[in-house]
Amino acid sequence: MKFPGLGLRLPECAWRRGSSWLLLAPLLTPPVPVITAPPCSLCPEGAHRFQWIRNLVPEFGISSSHVKVLSSPAEFYELLKVQIKTAKQRVVMASLYLGTGLLEQELVDCLEETLEKSLQAKGSSNLKVSILLDYTRGSRGRKNSRTMLIPLLQRFPEQVRVSLFHTPNLRGLLRLLIPERFNETIGLQHIKVYLFDDNVILSGANLSDLYFTNRQDRYVLLQDSPEIADFFTELVDAIGDVSLQLQRDDTVQMMEGMVHPYQGDKVAYCEIANRRVMEVINSARTRQELLHAKTFHSSQRGSSLLSQQGSQASGGLKTEPDTWIYPLIQMKPFGIQIDEMVTETLLTEAERDARIYLSTGYFNLTQAYMDLILGTRAEYRILLASPEVNGFFGAKGVAGAIPAAYVYIEHQFYSEVCYLHQQERVQLQEYSRAGWTFHAKGLWLYLAGSDLPCLTLIGSPNFGYRSVHRDLEAQVAIVTENKALQQQLHQEQEQLYLCSGVVSSSTFEQPNRYVKLWVKLVTPLIKNFF
């Protein structure tokens, strides 16, 4: 079965051979993706109705007891430190950037301490540390992510790898003319995965003090999940291979024989990147299909197998999975759009009386997502940041107007909801919490008649234009039949939504919702960049 976006389509960058200024073309004609994924129907042989996703990506069946939902930045930060200190084989961290404060330095110190212990214990360490960040964000300012990590590279050159992804769309005159900070609007490495041996933390949070203290996000720990850990290790390695490698003297260079992202041929670079990432996805999918087949045949021989292996073997048999993990990758610059395809299908096929809770720190939905929400049958509760908890609130210069731009986008969407008389079915709610900012993103799906969610999406995408078209993104779909895990996810959703108020027409009459004329005029031109 062939699907568009799975390496069979010419990468987006392949048809942009001209000037870098052609990157601005999407502003004039933003594409509306076509839904081509298989229908979301109950598979006759499957345990749940979402098994069609495994036609696109690997399916990892696990026990719900291995899944833990975290609720606070402090809990996330403490878990990171504990996991680093106990890691024996691998630490893999993918983030937009690493901050430069005391809390971030403590993380680096934990890494150094763990690497040192590993060397002392064996003479030559088995522990490997791989860190993937964005080049432009990680290089901002004199003290930055690079300067934070160089001491580790200098002291442990054989164990530590720092990769800095540079979008192939920032090149030529565009790269020379766009200043620091603004150059980040062209495209970023936005994946957030934190992996320690066989434990994986999936989140939307970056490695920065705000995300450890008072910026609300989401965090899920998958414990003792070697196949999932292997997949994300290979994914980060693949992106790392097509990224710039940080050197001990703070220079960067590409791996030998690799095409340069902004100096080399753009089409060749994108094709190589597409091939590397799709190899990871397809090989993992093949492995999991073989594992499913083996497990199925083993279960057919269950009684004879037990009689041959005795009671000890029966004690060691794995329990049947009640939870399934599907990694969803979105890298439109490389022609990979799996996350977009799955998200659109979930929105399209959500039945009447189903409820979808959708959360984003930056409300700037793609036209396709907006059309699906307004045109389908499920109930929607969309959680977004009020202006005061927007991450750009109080920023200097032009960035300070970004919260007002989001208010304008929100008001336009709300007006459309009212025009279509959908206020009961589609409800906006604004997160508000004194002294905090809001960065939580994802989706919870409640089937018709159910008080608990059976599916959640969690990871880095914001459901906006940037997430779909510009940045490298990854999240997972977690599908579970286990009531205890469903209850955890429900409590997570309730805890976030309890800090919110329902948006009404009077919301936009408040003084703090006033949007200046120039912001209204500029927003349609720049909304695809933030």
Side-chain angles (χ1 to χ4, degrees):
M1 200 172 192
K2 294 186 179 181
F3 296 93
L6 292 184
L8 306 178
R9 176 179 297 180
L10 189 66
E12 182 184 10
C13 54
W15 44 265
R16 293 185 182 171
R17 289 182 178 272
S19 162
S20 298
W21 293 102
L22 286 177
L23 285 167
L24 301 179
L27 291 174
L28 304 175
T29 54
V32 178
V34 177
I35 300 166
T36 53
C40 179
S41 57
L42 185 65
C43 299
E45 79 285 0
H48 61 83
R49 67 178 62 203
F50 303 104
Q51 283 198 336
W52 57 266
I53 304 175
R54 76 180 185 191
N55 292 324
L56 305 170
V57 295
E59 175 187 72
F60 301 99
I62 63 173
S63 167
S64 56
S65 61
H66 291 193
V67 184
K68 183 181 179 185
V69 180
L70 312 181
S71 61
S72 73
E75 193 179 3
F76 170 59
Y77 181 60
E78 291 304 318
L79 180 62
L80 285 176
K81 289 192 293 182
V82 168
Q83 291 292 315
I84 289 171
K85 288 176 181 176
T86 56
K88 297 291 189 290
Q89 264 75 45
R90 59 184 169 188
V91 172
V92 178
M93 298 199 290
S95 187
L96 174 60
Y97 69 105
L98 171 71
T100 57
L102 294 175
L103 295 179
E104 297 92 326
Q105 185 59 56
E106 194 173 339
L107 279 185
V108 175
D109 292 343
C110 286
L111 284 169
E112 184 177 11
E113 190 180 311
T114 303
L115 284 161
E116 183 61 46
K117 281 183 183 175
S118 181
L119 274 179
Q120 290 174 353
K122 298 186 178 178
S124 61
S125 175
N126 289 331
L127 179 65
K128 300 293 183 186
V129 174
S130 177
I131 299 172
L132 171 67
L133 305 172
D134 181 72
Y135 177 89
T136 52
R137 183 63 181 86
S139 303
R140 187 201 290 182
R142 284 190 177 181
K143 188 177 183 183
N144 52 40
S145 304
R146 293 161 64 163
T147 58
M148 292 287 287
L149 292 168
I150 282 170
L152 288 182
L153 280 172
Q154 291 173 336
R155 189 165 177 199
F156 307 100
E158 300 302 315
Q159 283 99 342
V160 177
R161 178 192 192 190
V162 179
S163 304
L164 301 168
F165 174 80
H166 191 295
T167 177
N169 290 336
L170 182 64
R171 56 174 49 228
L173 277 176
L174 197 64
R175 190 173 189 275
L176 290 173
L177 294 176
I178 296 186
E180 196 174 77
R181 293 178 69 94
F182 290 95
N183 58 9
E184 297 166 27
T185 63
I186 303 302
L188 295 166
Q189 192 308 107
H190 201 244
I191 295 168
K192 292 88 186 274
V193 174
Y194 309 108
L195 188 158
F196 313 90
D197 293 338
D198 293 337
N199 300 328
V200 183
I201 303 171
L202 292 151
S203 180
N206 292 303
L207 296 173
S208 171
D209 54 2
L210 289 173
Y211 296 90
F212 304 150
T213 52
N214 63 344
R215 177 165 286 188
Q216 183 63 58
D217 216 299
R218 297 180 66 208
Y219 335 84
V220 167
L221 169 64
L222 306 177
Q223 297 172 291
D224 300 320
S225 303
E227 292 93 353
I228 300 173
D230 287 348
F231 172 84
F232 279 107
T233 298
E234 291 170 16
L235 179 67
V236 172
D237 281 348
I239 302 167
D241 287 350
V242 298
S243 299
L244 295 156
Q245 306 299 305
L246 184 63
Q247 306 299 305
R248 286 177 279 180
D249 60 357
D250 198 21
T251 59
V252 292
Q253 63 184 44
M254 292 299 292
M255 289 175 57
E256 190 175 345
M258 189 62 66
V259 177
H260 199 282
Y262 62 86
Q263 293 176 350
D265 181 81
K266 190 176 180 182
V267 174
Y269 174 80
C270 290
E271 287 175 345
I272 290 168
N274 174 289
R275 191 159 58 247
R276 283 289 289 112
V277 173
M278 290 312 304
E279 280 171 3
V280 172
I281 294 170
N282 290 330
S283 62
R285 188 166 157 252
T286 301
R287 285 197 306 268
Q288 291 307 112
E289 284 176 350
L290 290 172
L291 185 62
H292 290 318
K294 186 178 177 183
T295 304
F296 176 77
H297 291 304
S298 295
S299 66
Q300 298 295 303
R301 298 182 295 117
S303 56
S304 60
L305 186 68
L306 284 175
S307 63
Q308 289 170 14
Q309 294 182 339
S311 60
Q312 279 188 333
S314 65
L317 285 176
K318 282 189 175 181
T319 57
E320 284 292 310
D322 59 6
T323 300
W324 296 267
I325 310 295
Y326 301 94
L328 308 178
I329 312 303
Q330 184 75 11
M331 300 178 182
K332 198 69 168 282
F334 304 154
I336 299 169
Q337 52 195 96
I338 298 169
D339 179 63
E340 175 188 11
M341 190 184 300
V342 171
T343 302
E344 286 187 358
T345 305
L346 290 173
L347 298 182
T348 302
E349 299 296 328
E351 59 201 357
R352 188 181 299 279
D353 297 327
R355 285 175 294 138
I356 291 178
Y357 289 77
L358 188 150
S359 176
T360 174
Y362 304 108
F363 183 74
N364 187 14
L365 301 178
T366 65
Q367 189 62 50
Y369 290 163
M370 284 193 288
D371 290 344
L372 288 170
I373 289 169
L374 293 173
T376 49
R377 299 158 294 178
E379 291 181 20
Y380 285 87
R381 300 292 178 264
I382 301 174
L383 185 63
L384 53 128
S386 66
E388 295 78 16
V389 300
N390 186 292
F392 290 97
F393 186 74
K396 295 178 181 178
V398 177
I402 290 178
Y406 281 117
V407 168
Y408 182 58
I409 293 167
E410 176 190 351
H411 194 182
Q412 285 185 310
F413 180 76
Y414 179 77
S415 298
E416 185 72 12
V417 171
C418 293
Y419 176 77
L420 297 170
H421 305 291
Q422 299 288 313
Q423 299 96 308
E424 291 299 315
R425 191 180 65 82
V426 180
Q427 196 172 92
L428 297 179
Q429 297 180 221
E430 287 187 352
Y431 186 94
S432 183
R433 189 175 179 185
W436 284 64
T437 53
F438 182 69
H439 198 251
K441 68 227 14 180
L443 178 153
W444 299 259
L445 174 60
Y446 294 68
L447 295 177
S450 176
D451 293 328
L452 297 174
C454 63
L455 176 146
T456 191
L457 301 182
I458 179 169
S460 63
N462 277 298
F463 305 105
Y465 187 95
R466 287 202 57 148
S467 291
V468 171
H469 294 280
R470 294 189 178 280
D471 298 341
L472 305 192
E473 305 278 12
Q475 63 181 339
V476 295
I478 302 176
V479 178
T480 184
E481 296 177 338
N482 181 269
K483 295 298 181 186
L485 178 53
Q486 289 179 355
Q487 190 65 46
Q488 273 194 75
L489 295 170
H490 177 66
Q491 287 173 352
E492 178 200 30
Q493 177 271 117
E494 278 198 323
Q495 186 177 340
L496 291 172
Y497 279 70
L498 277 172
C499 295
S500 70
V502 176
V503 172
S504 67
S505 56
S506 62
T507 302
F508 302 100
E509 295 170 5
Q510 299 170 16
N512 65 341
R513 302 312 168 96
Y514 173 72
V515 180
K516 295 177 181 178
L517 178 60
W518 74 267
V519 175
K520 292 180 181 181
L521 294 173
V522 169
T523 297
L525 299 176
I526 65 170
K527 64 183 291 187
N528 294 342
F529 289 96
F530 62 85

